[in-house]
Amino acid sequence: MRNRNEVLQQLRTISGDGSAPILIVGGGINGIGLYRDLALQNVPTILIDKSDFSSGTSAAPSRLIHGGLRYLETGEFELVRESVIERNHLIRNAPHLVKPIPVWVPAFSWFGGMLSAGLRFLKLKKTPGAKGILVVKLGLVFFDRFGRKNQMMPTHRLMSRSESKRRMPGLSDKVCAVAEYYDARLVHPERLVLELVKDAERDCPQSIALPYLSLDGTDGDQVRLKDEISGETFTLKPQLVINCAGAWADEVDRRLHIEKRLIGGTRGSHLIMRRPDLARQLGDGMLYFETRDFRACLVYALDTDNILLGTTDIRVNDPDGARCSDAEIDYLFDVLEQVLPGAKARKEEIVFAYAGIRPLPWSGDATTGSISRDHALHEFEPETNRTFPVLTLVGGKWTTYRACAEQICDAVLKRIGMRRTGSTLSQPIGGGRNLATDPEGHDRAIDGIATASGLEPAVAAILYRRYGSQARHVAAMMAEGDGKPVGGDGLYYKNEIRWMLQTERVTRLADIILRRTLLPFENAITPAALAGIAAIAAGELGWDDLRLADEIAHTTSLLTRHHRVTSLAP
């Protein structure tokens, strides 16, 4: 994968030769998914993002690839069917990053919510209501049916109160029964995005994706792009612009002389907490529960010490101000207490907090939970002050990104007079290619990496878990030099960080801390690790002392002010 300076030079050439490329604005999962699909069709494309890849909404999900069980209540059967199919294919295509997870749905009654669910299904009621176990079971019957064609996991079952209490003693005594079904956990969303970029540029080397490059404005047949790091500007004459900026789509449209409100975002916040006691109870499963205000929340263990708790759903107008508020923390603590009384969560247990804006369609005063999570493509034809068409995506979610990208890609191909030559449906992603998933193959792969690189088998196993079949490239670099952990006892290795810097278009220190690694989710952000990674980045990227100090200060501020990380306090 080319570094950022090499790609910038390629952009300078394109800017100067007068060609008319296709431009994608937005480097979240939907924009990158489209970038990948167009590359498979051998359609050269330029993708830009004003920040890092997957640094907005795509970095702030519940880290699940889910079938959308709750969408059944609003009658969105097609969305659920699509979600289940896409989920099953993602487990196959990226097994190192997408893994099955058992889900428990506790219910506080047997028959509650049947009338309310029926009215919502018939569109006669907008606000959600309580759902008993029979309503949940009915939904799971449909859910299982949608997944039969390419079934990957067991069908649902009901657990008695005694069995559920035996497996999770802290569960509320008010729970009468629990339904168990399977969905999938997305271990590292940002890495999946990076691997899609690499796959795209392998298949279509003329395509380029650039972080920290923004759309600055439009003038007739030209767009101006601005490097957010150096201030350098570029001009392009695009054949077509696809706006995949998510929560920022309206802002991008305005710069393209389109004055129409499409986005009505809501904020979803999550907490990472150090709670070994709850992690032990949750084990390898997730608790997916209904709150008193009839919203859906979840909690599951990330490892033996830390849990993830979410999420909220609050209307917002400023996507740049996405951060978890004190009120949201109080709300999440309260709903956790409803299902696990005695949990007694405290703010001191929070090791990381994050928030993102869902790019939902503008819907006036509709209840946030009733707004569709499906996607739609709005097409704007050329006008006097903009001579090229614009396609703007509204909505979309992690689980269905590939299907969404395929639909947009087909619209693009139709406009440029080309036919589809292949599908991404069964294309392996990054380290999922040639990945052994059976125990014997898994062990052979790790032994092969250890033998070829000279690394300890335990280290090879860590790399294999993180990067799948691409671990051999990381191991090869680690074998060349310093294989010590960053910060002395850190979870990442010095030459592993160098591999990221050389191959993953890292531009700022925060790109590594927040997105190329899982340090925040492993409760592993320490002053030593931050300083060690910063020093490596300075050496690889040519930062002087002033830039190094600025990057450390910027990243520290982000972590402490936006993400509530206390481990960096002086």
Side-chain angles (χ1 to χ4, degrees), residues 85-100:
I85 291 172
E86 293 296 323
R87 178 201 66 189
N88 290 352
H89 277 284
L90 269 170
I91 293 172
R92 287 193 177 99
N93 295 340
H96 59 311
L97 296 174
V98 183
K99 301 178 182 296

Side-chain angles (χ1 to χ4, degrees), residues 391-414:
L391 310 183
T392 300
L393 173 65
V394 175
K397 61 195 187 82
W398 255 103
T399 303
T400 56
Y401 86 84
R402 193 214 61 84
C404 174
E406 186 173 86
Q407 293 162 27
I408 302 172
C409 182
D410 287 342
V412 172
L413 293 174
K414 183 178 180 180

Side-chain angles (χ1 to χ4, degrees), residues 283-401:
D284 63 353
M286 180 178 83
L287 201 56
Y288 182 63
F289 56 96
E290 187 176 75
T291 64
R292 292 193 190 102
D293 55 351
F294 312 125
R295 290 199 60 259
C297 285
L298 55 91
V299 60
Y300 62 90
L302 295 171
D303 49 43
T304 56
D305 290 323
N306 303 296
I307 64 169
L308 184 151
L309 172 64
T311 177
T312 55
D313 199 14
I314 299 171
R315 287 187 181 276
V316 293
N317 293 315
D318 177 18
D320 289 314
R323 66 180 72 182
C324 181
S325 67
D326 288 337
E328 287 174 290
I329 292 173
D330 291 340
Y331 172 84
L332 290 171
F333 284 179
D334 179 63
V335 299
L336 180 65
E337 196 72 22
Q338 292 169 30
V339 71
L340 293 172
K344 292 183 170 48
R346 297 180 295 115
K347 289 183 179 179
E348 292 78 11
E349 296 162 343
I350 298 172
V351 298
F352 186 70
Y354 65 96
I357 308 300
R358 304 177 185 92
L360 304 181
W362 170 247
S363 58
D365 60 354
T367 304
T368 56
S370 67
I371 302 171
S372 175
R373 264 54 174 176
D374 207 350
H375 54 265
L377 189 66
H378 298 257
E379 304 189 28
F380 301 95
E381 300 305 328
E383 297 180 352
T384 304
N385 54 5
R386 174 183 40 79
T387 62
F388 49 85
V390 176
L391 310 183
T392 300
L393 173 65
V394 175
K397 61 195 187 82
W398 255 103
T399 303
T400 56
Y401 86 84

Side-chain angles (χ1 to χ4, degrees), residues 91-96 195 199 202 426-438 441-446 449 464 467-473:
I91 293 172
R92 287 193 177 99
N93 295 340
H96 59 311
E195 295 190 357
D199 289 349
R202 177 201 63 216
S426 299
Q427 285 282 330
I429 297 171
R433 189 177 301 275
N434 301 320
L435 183 71
T437 54
D438 61 288
H442 178 271
D443 291 343
R444 282 197 304 271
I446 291 173
I449 292 170
Y464 195 69
Y467 307 105
S469 60
Q470 300 300 304
R472 65 185 188 277
H473 300 305

Side-chain angles (χ1 to χ4, degrees), residues 5 60 69 86 95 98 112 122 131 150 183 202 215-216 238 250 257 274 278 297 332-333 345 377 434 452 461 477 514:
N5 287 335
L69 175 64
E86 293 296 323
V98 183
L122 296 171
K131 288 171 280 295
N150 57 346
D183 252 336
R202 177 201 63 216
L215 178 70
D216 197 42
D250 284 343
H257 302 303
R274 189 179 187 282
L278 295 184
C297 285
L332 290 171
F333 284 179
L377 189 66
N434 301 320
M477 177 167 278
L514 287 169

Side-chain angles (χ1 to χ4, degrees), residues 34 52 76 81 88 115 118 154 165 175 223 239 260 371 374 390 423 443 458 470 502 509 519:
L34 175 59
D52 190 20
E76 295 182 273
R81 184 195 66 79
N88 290 352
L115 177 60
K165 287 288 286 184
V175 172
V223 294
Q239 180 180 1
K260 184 175 181 180
I371 302 171
D374 207 350
V390 176
S423 172
D443 291 343
Q470 300 300 304
Q502 293 179 14
L509 176 60
L519 287 168

Side-chain angles (χ1 to χ4, degrees), residues 410-423:
D410 287 342
V412 172
L413 293 174
K414 183 178 180 180
R415 281 182 174 268
I416 64 177
M418 293 182 63
R419 288 189 173 184
R420 174 174 290 278
T421 58
S423 172

Side-chain angles (χ1 to χ4, degrees), residues 484-494 497 528-533 536:
K484 294 180 180 178
V486 178
D489 58 352
L491 299 180
Y492 291 81
Y493 300 90
K494 292 182 178 180
I497 299 297
L530 189 65
I533 291 172
I536 297 170

